[in-house]
Amino acid sequence: MTRLFNDPAAFADEALEGFVAAHPHRVRQVPGGVVRATRTAPGQVAVVVGGGSGHYPAFSGLVGQGLAHGAAVGNVFASPSAHQVRQVAKAAQTGGGVLLAYGNYAGDVLHFGQAAEQLTAEGIPARTLGVTDDISSASAAEAHKRRGVAGDLVVFKAAAAAAEAGHDLAEVTRIAELANARTRSFGVAFSGCTLPGADHPLFTVPEDRMAVGLGIHGEPGMGEQPVPSADEAAELLVSTVLGELPEGVDSPRGQRAAVILNGLGSVKYEELFVVYRRVAQLLHEAGVEAVDPEVGELVTSFDMAGVSLTLCWLTDELEPLWTAPADAPAYRKGTVEAADLISEGPAEQAVEEPVPAATEESRAAARTVLAALRTLKSTVDTHADELGRIDAVAGDGDHGIGMQRGSTGAYEAAVRAEQLGAGAETLLHRAADAWADKAGGTSGALWGVILRAIGTALGDTGRPTAPVVAAGVAEAAAGVMRLGGAEVGDKTMVDVLVPFAGALTTATADGQPLSIAWDTAASTAAAAAAATADLLPRMGRARPHAEKSLGTPDAGAHSLALIVRAVHPVLAPTLEIR
Amino acid sequence: MTRLFNDPAAFADEALEGFVAAHPHRVRQVPGGVVRATRTAPGQVAVVVGGGSGHYPAFSGLVGQGLAHGAAVGNVFASPSAHQVRQVAKAAQTGGGVLLAYGNYAGDVLHFGQAAEQLTAEGIPARTLGVTDDISSASAAEAHKRRGVAGDLVVFKAAAAAAEAGHDLAEVTRIAELANARTRSFGVAFSGCTLPGADHPLFTVPEDRMAVGLGIHGEPGMGEQPVPSADEAAELLVSTVLGELPEGVDSPRGQRAAVILNGLGSVKYEELFVVYRRVAQLLHEAGVEAVDPEVGELVTSFDMAGVSLTLCWLTDELEPLWTAPADAPAYRKGTVEAADLISEGPAEQAVEEPVPAATEESRAAARTVLAALRTLKSTVDTHADELGRIDAVAGDGDHGIGMQRGSTGAYEAAVRAEQLGAGAETLLHRAADAWADKAGGTSGALWGVILRAIGTALGDTGRPTAPVVAAGVAEAAAGVMRLGGAEVGDKTMVDVLVPFAGALTTATADGQPLSIAWDTAASTAAAAAAATADLLPRMGRARPHAEKSLGTPDAGAHSLALIVRAVHPVLAPTLEIR
């Protein structure tokens, strides 16, 4: 379990601060994460990686010459926000565009994808690549749905070495895709980690049993077996990985492969070496030449007891990229030609952007929105433990803490915006960015979308009417479905948001005042949230033991219903709005 | 706990094999451990380190250019034998002599000390240095009794960098002693590890409690406290280490220090960084400049949950040695000038040394000794679990397995010697070397002494008389006391060996036949072993919760008494010997 922390909510930030203090010659901290402390050649493609905290050396430990140019660092097990990714990318890029590379998880896909769009819109060409090496997470036919594990390292390294060699963004992206297509991982686990401040492990495996193919956050695997001997574990890992050769590789014999035997946290070095002894024998027997094998902790999950094997089937193009020198805090290879350290000037003062002009009517609406955000935050605070417990039934139990981080950040940004005289749109947009930024993860991105859509509907001029509010909520529902890819019936917040938006639209179109319409819609929402208890989660959601959640509502649906009910009294002053 | 292993007795060997397979360009395996795979300049002092397995990267992971020239690798948590150390030193040395450096534990002190004597006798100048950085293990007044923990790294590195710089053995030793004198560590722990194949953790710490100053094998610490916050843990570590400045350092202010924040196994990277964040702040406030800090796993105890802070107060002489480049499997720094790889010739065939000529009478005696060794081995096998349980009351529970390794090795060597026609002396000498070699640890060394002393007394010519056997046993007792430093009453095997030798001497001097005398002496031994249950272990033995052992005999004393009783029937054919 994780024992040493201060405020659990500050864990990821404090870890990053300590990491940077320990590695001042390799990395420097920027808003959203870290970038290389060394100068990068102008025009070089920047490879920016990232993901949640708790997986060190992924992702910050992989920043340095020959490896990543920067890493966006999210909260514990939560994706960084699009805003964070964008900030890190802008600090890392030197004019050659940016490849954003990350493990293929829902939250990361959302945020890195948004960041790429925004960067491109700002004139910084950006491409994305979600690593999909874990063969236990989806069938070969659905390889694009697979999640990324220790194969991240091979893909990041190939891309970065290609960037250092001067290739352009299209070529670096092609090489990263090639490396990803030829990389396969498979892992087993004996126990899960307990996150900082949590009471219980994220998941458990029965004693004397081994979970086969379990994900690093406890995502469902392929079953359980008795704990094997080290040699048997090696045989399972090798036979499974060799059992799915990439396109163009007909037989292992005569192939050369990058090999990673990765410890997840508390399967320790000597155990890994005992397993590797047999892995090396088996690869040799299969005719595979292991090139620069790595045996150690490359992608962890705190102290999760697990081990995974990764092979990247090298080509003539990929091999020199794998063997190229690198010099990151947690990954060093060969000898890099040391680049100049960037001498940091005086720390940049964050300049607060002025708010656009707003009418008095919109500023009044903004004050109502602010009051609603205050209520939202206190509602989340009151229910945080309950939300965590509900989420823990079938998920990773962090919904309460994520909602707290997001709603607190949103409220604080809104307070500041109101002080600056913001209208409703600007206030909600700033709250939206702050929510996504502070919460990270999937729900952070989706709540960012909700607040932003409503803000856009309200505008910074004029007095919002009830139909306008309803239209904003409807647009929010559409945006959440678009971004999150879920539909009604998937047991997500969409199951509440869509009927809520529908009820609000119908009632306001009938000419009901906002407060009355909202009251009706909130009841609809509560019923819809309760109904999620009877559903199974959507396929592919990263949730272990999904069947356990039968009888328990979805945490995201439940929190949304609580919130729309709680903010109703705040909307009473808008009773007369039609 | 350790989950992945095959035969627990083969764990250390298999781990070493896998380690070498993973790092073929840095290390090569030699009998007894590993040496650099790269060529070392002729005449350079070789720094040979070592200790038990289970502490990776200590010790094999620290072999490479700029760091150790070789590592003798013992069994799990057991010192390598003197024979292993000697073999590794001979493979590593290039004519400049050898500095043997290790953590200051009883078994290591015995074996490395013996090895140094033997090497010097063979014309290879050798010096020893036991690292004593752990300030919780003895008072400042008894600093020479302190054990070595993560400070090993600083001392090894200073010595190796001095060797690379061309200093001679005396100077390298002086520098290592200087580094050791200026290095201080202090650690805390939350849980112990479970060794491969063991049922129980080596030690436990109550939940929500933290053991302060506990040793990495569960040696007693300074007490317990509630689990602190990360910042509080940092404050405890820093204030304790700054609380004992080395000679010549009056105040931390203005000092420069090598800093290591070491995780013992399952306190993971992000936790370490959260702690380091505060450590860095506190050192800065105290006016200490951290030079090339290391935050990570440098000395582990499998998955023990613990963390330690090490400071080496640098001098102008030590700082460049700390910052010098190094390239070992688990420790890389700066850029080394790559040395040539040693191209391995065909593996050397171990040439079996012929046995010296022996008389038929001595060969007959050797056959009796062989039968006794067979009985000894089967006795140990039968009682191995019991010995482990007794040892676990106050020790690390490995007495059974250590005795099995030793007695099996001794018996096998004796079988081979008998086939070659060895006399009693040669057979026992070979058995003695094999016991020490296979068992490692303190008891391995002491049993090696016992068999060797008896062998020397018996000789390779003539028929041993009862007084000669008794004289051999008496010499064995004297040798064990000399080497182990224990006296009667310290609750060790000495409590049995000395009265057994005394009774045997008295009875044989009275003219009793050996078998009768042995029977009497074995009864004395049994009584003496039982009496150890009423004693507290000798001060300074590496045993936690020593007081728990009241009421339980010493495992080493108990096994010795069992053995002398069990071999009695085998000695029946020698009944007539007087």
Side-chain angles (χ1 to χ4, degrees):
Chain A
M1 61 181 293
T2 307
R3 291 179 172 87
L4 289 172
F5 49 85
N6 300 303
D7 175 3
F11 185 86
D13 287 343
E14 292 186 349
L16 188 64
E17 192 181 333
F19 165 69
V20 173
H23 295 285
H25 301 307
R26 287 198 176 73
V27 296
R28 60 195 173 91
Q29 192 162 1
V30 295
V34 290
V35 296
R36 292 185 189 175
T38 49
R39 205 169 290 285
T40 298
Q44 185 172 116
V45 173
V47 176
V48 171
V49 304
S53 291
H55 304 300
Y56 191 87
F59 294 86
S60 56
L62 304 179
V63 173
Q65 285 187 259
L67 245 169
H69 294 75
V73 179
N75 244 300
V76 171
F77 283 14
S79 158
S81 70
H83 183 57
Q84 284 185 282
V85 175
R86 207 167 82 235
Q87 287 174 301
V88 172
K90 288 166 93 164
Q93 65 88 30
T94 56
V98 182
L99 175 65
L100 302 176
Y102 45 88
N104 185 44
Y105 296 87
D108 296 289
V109 172
L110 287 181
H111 288 286
F112 282 88
Q114 281 191 326
E117 284 178 24
Q118 292 164 356
L119 286 165
T120 303
E122 293 178 74
I124 301 171
R127 303 282 294 272
T128 60
L129 180 88
V131 180
T132 55
D133 57 313
D134 185 355
I135 62 178
S136 65
S137 53
S139 70
E142 297 197 306
H144 63 284
K145 290 189 178 175
R146 288 175 171 173
R147 59 202 172 211
V149 286
D152 283 355
L153 173 66
V154 192
V155 177
F156 298 169
K157 185 161 192 315
E164 300 259 5
H167 292 297
D168 68 13
L169 180 58
E171 182 67 358
V172 168
T173 306
R174 181 189 66 77
I175 286 168
E177 286 167 351
L178 175 67
N180 185 45
R182 297 179 72 93
T183 301
R184 301 283 185 280
S185 298
F186 181 70
V188 297
F190 307 99
S191 78
C193 58
T194 301
L195 300 183
D199 290 332
H200 302 291
L202 205 54
F203 63 92
T204 56
V205 180
E207 192 150 346
D208 298 332
R209 302 287 287 174
M210 174 178 79
V212 176
L214 188 98
I216 59 175
H217 312 99
E219 301 93 335
M222 297 158 64
E224 283 176 13
Q225 295 182 6
V227 170
S229 71
D231 282 358
E232 289 163 352
E235 284 150 22
L236 173 67
L237 294 173
V238 171
S239 65
T240 308
V241 173
L242 294 193
E244 196 203 289
L245 300 174
E247 216 179 287
V249 178
D250 297 327
S251 156
R253 192 154 303 278
Q255 296 292 326
R256 299 171 65 80
V259 177
I260 300 173
L261 189 70
N262 179 57
L264 271 299
S266 66
V267 170
K268 299 308 300 181
Y269 305 105
E270 276 105 338
E271 285 176 276
L272 293 174
F273 288 130
V274 170
V275 175
Y276 186 71
R277 168 184 165 276
R278 185 70 187 134
V279 168
Q281 290 169 353
L282 292 166
L283 292 178
H284 182 74
E285 287 165 18
V288 180
E289 176 85 15
V291 178
D292 280 7
E294 293 287 342
V295 180
E297 297 180 350
L298 282 318
V299 176
T300 63
S301 269
F302 287 104
D303 62 339
M304 171 171 167
V307 56
S308 66
L309 176 68
T310 298
L311 259 72
C312 174
W313 301 89
L314 296 171
T315 63
D316 289 348
E317 184 176 32
L318 289 175
E319 181 162 337
L321 302 172
W322 171 243
T323 58
D327 184 26
Y331 192 83
R332 297 174 208 171
K333 191 172 201 167
T335 301
V336 301
E337 197 176 320
D340 292 341
L341 278 180
I342 295 175
S343 57
E344 292 194 69
E348 279 177 48
Q349 294 292 325
V351 178
E352 195 166 40
E353 224 179 313
V355 300
T359 64
E360 184 45 47
E361 282 179 323
S362 184
R363 292 183 59 183
R367 285 190 286 276
T368 301
V369 171
L370 178 62
L373 288 172
R374 186 190 306 119
T375 300
L376 192 168
K377 173 188 169 335
S378 67
T379 304
V380 169
D381 286 343
T382 304
H383 293 273
D385 286 350
E386 175 196 348
L387 295 177
R389 277 196 306 275
I390 293 176
D391 188 37
V393 172
D396 56 12
D398 70 352
H399 186 68
I401 196 171
M403 289 290 288
Q404 275 192 296
R405 287 196 304 251
S407 61
T408 301
Y411 173 64
E412 288 169 358
V415 166
R416 187 71 195 124
E418 198 276 331
Q419 289 167 349
L420 295 171
E425 175 173 1
T426 298
L427 182 139
L428 273 162
H429 282 185
R430 295 202 173 180
D433 288 348
W435 190 311
D437 208 27
K438 298 292 180 194
T442 308
S443 85
L446 298 178
W447 272 93
V449 165
I450 292 171
L451 299 188
R452 177 167 284 273
I454 298 173
T456 301
L458 299 188
D460 274 343
T461 56
R463 178 159 171 261
T465 64
V468 159
V469 173
V473 174
E475 183 46 45
V480 165
M481 290 173 73
R482 200 163 51 234
L483 190 64
E487 297 179 3
V488 173
D490 286 346
K491 189 162 181 161
T492 71
M493 73 189 307
V494 167
D495 288 2
V496 171
L497 187 52
V498 168
F500 176 72
L504 200 61
T505 302
T506 306
T508 54
D510 288 351
Q512 289 183 26
L514 179 62
S515 178
I516 305 294
W518 191 283
D519 188 37
T520 308
S523 299
T524 305
T532 62
D534 301 327
L535 299 172
L536 274 173
R538 173 160 67 109
M539 283 294 292
R541 292 189 77 192
R543 303 212 149 176
H545 314 304
E547 70 285 356
K548 277 196 199 163
S549 77
L550 266 181
T552 308
D554 176 69
H558 182 64
S559 59
L560 176 58
L562 284 175
I563 286 166
V564 296
R565 170 53 63 205
V567 298
H568 178 249
V570 181
L571 300 175
T574 60
L575 191 63
E576 77 286 5
I577 295 182
R578 291 179 193 258
Chain B
M1 62 181 295
T2 307
R3 291 180 174 85
L4 290 172
F5 49 86
N6 299 305
D7 174 4
F11 185 86
D13 287 343
E14 293 186 348
L16 188 64
E17 193 181 333
F19 164 70
V20 173
H23 296 284
H25 301 306
R26 288 201 172 73
V27 294
R28 61 195 172 91
Q29 192 163 0
V30 295
V34 290
V35 298
R36 294 186 189 175
T38 50
R39 205 169 290 285
T40 299
Q44 186 174 114
V45 173
V47 176
V48 172
V49 304
S53 291
H55 304 301
Y56 190 88
F59 294 87
S60 56
L62 304 179
V63 173
Q65 286 187 258
L67 245 168
H69 294 75
V73 179
N75 244 301
V76 172
F77 283 15
S79 158
S81 70
H83 183 55
Q84 285 184 281
V85 175
R86 208 168 81 234
Q87 286 173 302
V88 173
K90 287 166 94 164
Q93 65 88 28
T94 56
V98 182
L99 175 65
L100 302 176
Y102 45 87
N104 186 45
Y105 296 87
D108 296 290
V109 172
L110 286 182
H111 288 286
F112 282 89
Q114 281 191 324
E117 283 178 23
Q118 292 164 353
L119 286 165
T120 303
E122 293 177 74
I124 300 170
R127 303 282 294 271
T128 61
L129 180 88
V131 180
T132 55
D133 57 313
D134 185 354
I135 62 179
S136 66
S137 54
S139 69
E142 297 197 307
H144 63 284
K145 291 189 177 174
R146 289 176 171 173
R147 59 202 172 210
V149 286
D152 283 354
L153 173 66
V154 192
V155 177
F156 298 169
K157 185 161 192 314
E164 301 259 4
H167 292 297
D168 68 13
L169 181 57
E171 182 68 357
V172 169
T173 307
R174 181 188 67 77
I175 285 168
E177 286 167 351
L178 175 67
N180 186 45
R182 297 179 72 93
T183 301
R184 301 284 185 279
S185 298
F186 181 71
V188 297
F190 307 100
S191 79
C193 58
T194 301
L195 299 183
D199 291 331
H200 302 290
L202 204 56
F203 63 90
T204 56
V205 180
E207 193 150 345
D208 300 331
R209 303 285 288 176
M210 173 178 80
V212 176
L214 189 96
I216 59 177
H217 312 99
E219 300 93 335
M222 296 158 64
E224 282 176 12
Q225 296 183 5
V227 169
S229 71
D231 282 359
E232 288 164 353
E235 284 150 22
L236 174 66
L237 294 173
V238 171
S239 65
T240 308
V241 173
L242 294 193
E244 196 203 291
L245 300 174
E247 215 179 289
V249 178
D250 297 327
S251 155
R253 192 153 302 278
Q255 295 292 326
R256 299 171 66 80
V259 176
I260 300 172
L261 189 70
N262 179 57
L264 271 300
S266 67
V267 169
K268 298 308 300 182
Y269 305 105
E270 276 105 337
E271 285 176 276
L272 293 174
F273 288 131
V274 170
V275 175
Y276 186 70
R277 169 183 164 277
R278 185 70 188 135
V279 167
Q281 291 169 353
L282 291 165
L283 291 178
H284 181 75
E285 287 166 18
V288 180
E289 176 86 13
V291 178
D292 280 7
E294 293 287 341
V295 180
E297 297 179 350
L298 282 317
V299 177
T300 63
S301 269
F302 287 104
D303 63 340
M304 171 171 166
V307 56
S308 66
L309 177 69
T310 299
L311 260 74
C312 174
W313 302 89
L314 297 171
T315 62
D316 289 348
E317 184 176 32
L318 290 175
E319 181 162 339
L321 302 172
W322 171 242
T323 58
D327 185 25
Y331 191 85
R332 298 174 206 169
K333 191 173 202 167
T335 303
V336 300
E337 198 176 320
D340 292 340
L341 278 180
I342 295 174
S343 57
E344 292 194 68
E348 280 178 47
Q349 296 290 328
V351 178
E352 196 167 39
E353 221 179 315
V355 299
T359 65
E360 185 44 48
E361 281 179 322
S362 185
R363 292 183 60 182
R367 284 190 287 275
T368 301
V369 171
L370 177 61
L373 288 171
R374 186 192 306 120
T375 300
L376 193 168
K377 173 188 169 335
S378 67
T379 304
V380 168
D381 286 342
T382 304
H383 293 275
D385 287 350
E386 175 196 348
L387 295 177
R389 277 197 305 276
I390 293 176
D391 189 36
V393 173
D396 55 12
D398 70 351
H399 185 68
I401 195 171
M403 289 291 288
Q404 275 191 297
R405 287 196 304 252
S407 60
T408 302
Y411 173 64
E412 288 169 357
V415 167
R416 187 72 195 123
E418 197 276 333
Q419 289 166 347
L420 295 172
E425 174 173 1
T426 298
L427 182 139
L428 272 162
H429 282 186
R430 295 200 174 180
D433 288 348
W435 190 311
D437 208 26
K438 299 292 180 191
T442 307
S443 84
L446 298 178
W447 272 93
V449 165
I450 291 170
L451 298 189
R452 178 168 283 276
I454 297 172
T456 302
L458 300 188
D460 275 344
T461 56
R463 178 160 171 260
T465 63
V468 160
V469 173
V473 173
E475 182 47 45
V480 165
M481 290 172 73
R482 199 162 52 233
L483 190 64
E487 297 179 3
V488 173
D490 285 346
K491 190 163 182 161
T492 72
M493 74 190 306
V494 167
D495 289 2
V496 171
L497 187 54
V498 168
F500 175 73
L504 200 62
T505 302
T506 305
T508 54
D510 287 352
Q512 290 183 25
L514 179 61
S515 178
I516 304 294
W518 193 283
D519 187 38
T520 309
S523 299
T524 304
T532 62
D534 301 327
L535 298 172
L536 274 174
R538 173 158 66 109
M539 282 296 291
R541 292 188 80 191
R543 303 212 150 176
H545 315 303
E547 69 287 356
K548 279 196 199 162
S549 77
L550 266 181
T552 308
D554 176 67
H558 183 64
S559 59
L560 176 59
L562 285 176
I563 287 166
V564 296
R565 169 55 62 206
V567 298
H568 179 251
V570 181
L571 300 174
T574 60
L575 191 66
E576 77 286 4
I577 294 183
R578 290 179 194 258

